[in-house]
Amino acid sequence: MNNSQACNTLFIVDDHSMLKNGLKNYLEMNTQWKVSGAFSGIADCLAVLCGGAREKVSLPELIIIDIQLADGETGFSLVKTLKKDFPEIKIVLYSMYDTWGFILQAKDLGVQGYISKVSSDEELVRCLSVVQAGGTYYEKKSESIQSELESITSVLKKQEKVVFEMALQGKTNKQIADELFISLHTVENYISYLIKLAGCKKREDLLEKYK
């Protein structure tokens, strides 16, 4: 896509109307950002983006996306589509989930920013500024844990890494098997390997270590 971007414009995708509208009002009253689109779900957002692409109108510079949306949708699904069809749009995930499983998945997908909804307004604005400038901004967590996780993920194959991320998100073996369309036995083997790799004795220890 070669569409020109509108400077300091962003979209918000969040199914919580009060939070979405409150965030829009805060940003427009206190920052240089203009919220040119606020959506409850993926389809509405993509309809505007794809329509804008056809009409060659300005696309937003950045999109703030909640991870857990209505009707079982996830912000990660939208991220994948954006990365494929609108790679010029920067992405910030803004969620109640701040566990390592979600952070690892966001990094794996190339998301530029990740911040918790319980963060201060100032930190959110700082995140947006860093991402707008071409950097990455992830909410600060334990650097030692981050280093340890990076050493683990660096030796994992693609599917092993996905299973690791999903396990750290609290999903059961069956949920992982169903979502990835692989056998339960395969998932169990992956989990056993990951538990050993992390120096743990059981799944509960793994989740506690990297919560």
Side-chain angles (χ1 to χ4, degrees):
M1 303 289 177
N2 293 318
N3 308 75
S4 61
Q5 294 179 335
C7 185
N8 296 336
T9 62
L10 61 77
F11 282 1
I12 299 172
V13 182
D14 194 315
D15 62 317
H16 295 91
S17 295
M18 288 184 65
L19 190 147
K20 178 176 59 189
N21 294 332
L23 180 57
K24 177 180 184 296
N25 292 336
Y26 174 81
L27 290 174
E28 293 192 332
M29 291 178 64
N30 297 279
T31 75
Q32 82 282 12
W33 291 100
K34 174 177 173 55
V35 180
S36 53
F39 310 96
S40 297
I42 294 173
D44 290 342
C45 178
L46 290 178
V48 172
L49 287 176
C50 293
R54 287 195 301 271
E55 297 168 13
K56 298 189 183 303
V57 299
S58 296
L59 297 176
E61 185 175 2
L62 187 150
I63 300 183
I64 299 175
I65 306 171
D66 188 13
I67 289 180
Q68 194 63 50
L69 301 170
D71 301 322
E73 291 186 325
T74 73
F76 288 124
S77 296
L78 178 55
V79 169
K80 292 174 183 177
T81 300
L82 293 173
K83 286 294 179 181
K84 176 176 176 290
D85 297 335
F86 302 94
E88 67 270 48
I89 299 177
K90 299 177 177 71
I91 302 169
V92 170
L93 287 175
Y94 186 53
S95 177
M96 289 301 297
Y97 300 103
D98 64 350
T99 59
W100 283 110
F102 291 100
I103 293 172
L104 288 176
Q105 186 173 0
K107 287 187 173 183
D108 202 31
L109 291 174
V111 172
Q112 289 90 348
Y114 191 108
I115 191 165
S116 169
K117 288 183 177 180
V118 300
S119 298
S120 67
D121 296 335
E122 292 77 10
E123 184 167 10
L124 173 61
V125 173
R126 187 161 55 250
C127 172
L128 296 178
S129 297
V130 170
V131 169
Q132 183 187 32
T136 57
Y137 189 102
Y138 277 71
E139 189 171 4
K140 294 293 184 185
K141 291 175 74 71
S142 168
E143 291 185 3
S144 62
I145 293 292
Q146 180 174 329
S147 177
E148 186 174 330
L149 283 169
E150 288 174 352
S151 69
I152 291 174
T153 56
S154 67
V155 301
L156 297 179
K157 297 177 181 177
K158 183 175 180 180
Q159 194 165 67
E160 292 170 342
K161 188 184 294 186
V162 173
V163 170
F164 188 38
E165 292 164 358
M166 294 174 77
L168 295 186
Q169 291 168 13
K171 294 181 179 179
T172 66
N173 288 357
K174 186 173 187 314
Q175 287 174 321
I176 295 172
D178 290 345
E179 288 188 34
L180 297 181
F181 302 102
I182 58 178
S183 73
L184 182 59
H185 180 67
T186 298
V187 175
E188 289 170 345
N189 285 340
Y190 282 151
I191 296 296
S192 295
Y193 170 61
L194 292 166
I195 289 171
K196 290 179 181 178
L197 196 61
C200 298
K201 294 183 178 180
K202 53 187 178 179
R203 184 191 179 101
E204 290 76 14
D205 296 337
L206 184 73
L207 296 181
E208 179 64 24
K209 185 175 184 178
Y210 301 123
K211 64 182 179 180

